[in-house]
Amino acid sequence: MKCLLLKIFCFGQLASLCAAKHIADGIEGIKGHIPRQREISRYMQHQVQANNFTSNKALQSIRAQRAEDVRKGFQHAWRAYKKYAFGADEINPLTLEPLTTRNGWGATLVDALDTIHIMGLHDEFEEAAEKVRQIDFEKNDGAPSKVFETNIRYIGGLISAFELSGNRMFLKQATSLADIMLEAFDTSTGIPWQMWNVQTGTGSSEAGPSTLNNLAEVGSYQLEFFRLSQLTHDPSYHKAAQRVFDVILDNNEPHKGTPYSVPGLYPVFLDIKTGKFISGKPNLGGGSDSFYEYLIKTWALSGFRLQRNLDLWLESLRSIKKYILSRGSDQRLYMAVGDDEGLDPISDTFTCFFPGTLALASRLLNDNETLGIAHDLLMTSYNTFSSMPTHIGPENFGFLSEGDSDSDLSKSQRAEIKKYGFYLDHPYYLMRPEVIESVFYFYRITGDERYADWIWQIWQGIKDNCAVDGGYAGLRDVRIGRRGGLIGKQESFVFSETFKYMYLAFATPDVISLDDYIFSTEGHPFKRSTSFNGTF
């Protein structure tokens, strides 16, 4: 009946969707709008990547040398992983011990697959593929799986490896794991548990048996699950991811004086049992970040058909501009924590993904004003790295809002604000990719070589301060580098994101072009050319 009613009001190509078994959730916008073909065609004409990349042969030669230098750096870390921890989740780069941190399925192995393929390391890829073939996702170390991390690292990594290589074993493994993780969505609301015990079939929160989860970890399945539904012609994955949005929108109305007070600015924590937000002031950092990122990226990956995603992105962006972005005393534009009750001038390195995503959105929507805002945010994000003697930035930092008194700040905080424009809250670095990611986007979108040079400076800082026999360790204090001590941590995202974005900044621009691919929040590229007519 629903299909028949829709057909009456559809025109052109949309009418043909009604004959299909399943019309994709999310095609109808939050105000009932369904995109017509002429709108979709208009968006498809918008070019993301620049077309003015250098033709200078000497500069191209330098770029090729730099790409090879990054490639060798990756190989250094991969060789240590292969020698001491092959098949383990991680390697401690200081002690060379294999670590089980993501259920023992081999997080680094899977997360690194597409980077290995992109870098043309054919022997390493085939060897890794054979190891992946042996993974049994129905068995693990006995600890609950973090569903969100399982999705972005394992499922996303496997899908991307399949799309790049054509090896259907990767798709089979991705589907096998996704089917297991779908069980975590079998709750009273359809919002997934934060943790899922594969062996007992029970869910929990990271904090224990509560029904708490956070915005990013309930709303960051759309990209991977959408693509998996396309590849398998099984709508259940996409439906599960989109159901989360149904519940959030149905159970939360913005009201002043409540945790959710501004349209499109969502609190961090919610109860999966009720679907209602509980607490956590809105921000773009950890616990929230990829929720917003996937609104615009899934819309683009769908061939601009998932109108609800676009509507929610635009609503969120309006509120972000009004309540989250703030000028500091140094006149830079910062991303803070805030809503209509005020702003907290604190931030973290996770927020630094946003300039790149915002720049991508500006090109997808042909919105130059938003590109200007993204550039201001990029300058602030990069400053957290470039102002350090190590060329590496901190995990967390704070700033002084323009016009505010510094009386509540400590003497050292005031001194750092005077010196850098911000103060370091948590000064350590764990090889996180977000600043590099955003700089990469600006290089590919503008063709401006200075952005590639910025990434080269960061890479020099990483080599000088983080390189060890076992790969790349974290820094305890980015202000003083190695002499401040190293951290024995090298997460799988170092392979899937940090090295990938550095390499792609120097590879020829046609390698994983932004006009051909959308990157997941874990840096896995998905093809934009996979056709989607609104059905699976």
Side-chain angles (χ1 to χ4, degrees):
M1 182 63 179
K2 180 179 179 182
C3 186
L4 179 61
L5 291 174
L6 181 60
K7 191 169 184 178
I8 296 173
F9 296 100
C10 288
F11 297 90
Q13 185 176 353
L14 281 175
S16 66
L17 303 185
C18 303
K21 292 182 179 179
H22 178 72
I23 298 174
D25 301 67
I27 281 184
E28 184 176 314
I30 57 177
K31 295 183 179 180
H33 176 66
I34 296 176
R36 297 187 179 185
Q37 187 57 48
R38 64 172 177 267
E39 298 174 67
I40 295 168
S41 298
R42 186 175 71 248
Y43 290 128
M44 285 181 172
Q45 294 173 9
H46 296 163
Q47 184 173 327
V48 176
Q49 281 210 167
N51 54 15
N52 61 331
F53 294 100
T54 183
S55 58
N56 182 288
K57 298 298 183 183
L59 189 53
Q60 288 178 343
S61 177
I62 291 173
R63 291 178 52 76
Q65 293 170 21
R66 290 180 172 183
E68 180 59 23
D69 192 65
V70 173
R71 186 173 182 263
K72 287 180 178 178
F74 176 91
Q75 288 176 293
H76 163 68
W78 184 254
R79 281 194 295 267
Y81 171 72
K82 178 184 169 184
K83 182 176 181 179
Y84 298 107
F86 198 42
D89 291 332
E90 296 175 13
I91 180 176
N92 182 317
L94 299 181
T95 67
L96 307 181
E97 295 174 285
L99 301 175
T100 299
T101 57
R102 303 289 174 196
N103 297 110
W105 292 321
T108 293
L109 174 71
V110 175
D111 231 358
L113 286 168
D114 51 14
T115 306
I116 295 171
H117 192 278
I118 289 166
M119 289 184 174
L121 302 172
H122 305 298
D123 292 343
E124 290 88 340
F125 186 80
E126 292 304 319
E127 190 173 23
E130 182 55 37
K131 196 75 172 177
V132 170
R133 188 189 306 275
Q134 299 168 21
I135 299 174
D136 183 354
F137 288 114
E138 293 186 351
K139 299 177 181 178
N140 65 10
D141 64 341
S145 302
K146 199 166 191 182
V147 186
F148 162 77
E149 298 288 357
T150 301
N151 176 53
I152 65 172
R153 300 187 195 224
Y154 286 108
I155 297 174
L158 290 164
I159 292 172
S160 181
F162 164 67
E163 291 205 317
L164 291 174
S165 70
N167 186 336
R168 296 194 67 84
M169 176 274 294
F170 294 123
L171 179 59
K172 181 179 178 181
Q173 287 286 60
T175 306
S176 172
L177 182 55
D179 287 344
I180 294 171
M181 289 300 111
L182 271 184
E183 297 175 21
F185 288 75
D186 187 15
T187 64
S188 59
T189 59
I191 297 179
W193 289 99
Q194 187 175 37
M195 312 294 294
W196 186 253
N197 192 309
V198 172
Q199 296 178 345
T200 64
T202 56
S204 62
S205 168
E206 195 169 25
S210 76
T211 53
L212 189 72
N213 207 335
N214 66 56
L215 188 64
E217 294 191 40
V218 304
S220 302
Y221 298 92
Q222 295 182 68
L223 204 72
E224 293 84 359
F225 279 23
F226 171 79
R227 178 46 47 88
L228 194 57
S229 281
Q230 281 188 294
L231 294 174
T232 62
H233 305 292
D234 181 350
S236 60
Y237 310 108
H238 176 72
K239 286 176 67 68
Q242 289 289 327
R243 171 64 179 161
V244 172
F245 286 82
D246 296 340
V247 175
I248 287 176
L249 294 174
D250 288 346
N251 288 278
N252 297 276
E253 287 286 340
H255 292 294
K256 190 173 180 61
T258 67
Y260 180 37
S261 59
V262 178
L265 274 191
Y266 303 103
V268 178
F269 299 106
L270 72 164
D271 186 344
I272 70 167
K273 192 174 182 179
T274 64
K276 292 185 178 297
F277 289 113
I278 300 172
S279 62
K281 211 166 186 177
N283 65 85
L284 296 171
S288 299
D289 44 9
S290 51
F291 174 91
Y292 298 103
E293 178 185 4
Y294 273 19
L295 293 178
I296 191 69
K297 286 186 173 181
T298 308
W299 173 69
L301 194 69
S302 75
F304 312 109
R305 291 188 180 276
L306 295 180
Q307 182 68 33
R308 182 168 66 175
N309 274 64
L310 176 60
D311 291 349
L312 291 173
W313 165 262
L314 293 174
E315 180 180 63
S316 292
L317 185 57
R318 285 192 292 269
S319 296
I320 287 169
K321 290 178 179 178
K322 185 173 182 179
Y323 295 105
I324 298 294
L325 306 187
S326 174
R327 291 285 172 187
S329 58
D330 60 352
Q331 293 302 302
R332 292 187 176 92
L333 188 62
Y334 287 85
M335 294 166 281
V337 176
D339 56 22
D340 59 348
E341 293 187 349
L343 178 141
D344 299 328
I346 54 175
S347 195
D348 61 34
T349 193
F350 293 103
T351 66
C352 296
F353 87 93
F354 193 66
T357 296
L358 193 59
L360 171 65
S362 75
R363 301 312 303 141
L364 293 170
L365 294 166
N366 197 25
D367 179 0
N368 288 328
E369 178 186 355
T370 296
L371 183 61
I373 294 172
H375 180 262
D376 285 351
L377 294 173
L378 179 75
M379 297 299 288
T380 303
S381 298
Y382 179 62
N383 181 58
T384 65
F385 275 57
S386 63
S387 61
M388 295 294 108
T390 56
H391 298 292
I392 296 170
E395 181 84 354
N396 296 78
F397 53 93
F399 64 97
L400 182 66
S401 294
E402 182 180 21
D404 281 2
S405 169
D406 64 1
S407 59
D408 290 336
L409 300 178
S410 68
K411 183 179 179 179
S412 63
Q413 288 173 335
R414 290 196 295 270
E416 287 188 334
I417 285 178
K418 185 176 181 180
K419 185 175 183 179
Y420 308 127
F422 63 94
Y423 67 86
L424 289 78
D425 189 19
H426 295 142
Y428 60 86
Y429 176 64
L430 295 175
M431 291 287 295
R432 295 201 191 277
E434 287 79 9
V435 170
I436 298 168
E437 172 187 351
S438 281
V439 177
F440 159 75
Y441 271 102
F442 265 84
Y443 171 66
R444 285 292 187 88
I445 285 171
T446 67
D448 191 332
E449 289 294 327
R450 65 170 166 159
Y451 299 121
D453 289 340
W454 288 2
I455 289 179
W456 181 249
Q457 289 300 317
I458 294 172
W459 171 227
Q460 300 313 298
I462 290 173
K463 286 195 295 184
D464 291 345
N465 293 281
C466 302
V468 293
D469 289 346
Y472 298 86
L475 284 183
R476 294 193 180 279
D477 193 328
V478 297
R479 294 167 293 198
I480 55 178
R482 281 184 185 272
R483 61 188 174 89
L486 298 174
I487 302 170
K489 188 69 174 172
Q490 183 181 251
E491 288 210 43
S492 64
F493 59 68
V494 175
F495 297 85
S496 69
E497 296 183 81
T498 308
F499 271 103
K500 184 183 286 113
Y501 289 126
M502 288 193 296
Y503 177 78
L504 289 175
F506 304 115
T508 56
D510 61 325
V511 178
I512 314 295
S513 165
L514 295 181
D515 288 309
D516 298 331
Y517 291 88
I518 290 289
F519 286 95
S520 76
T521 195
E522 190 72 5
H524 298 304
F526 296 162
K527 291 180 179 178
R528 291 180 61 186
S529 59
T530 302
S531 62
F532 178 61
N533 68 356
T535 68
F536 298 112

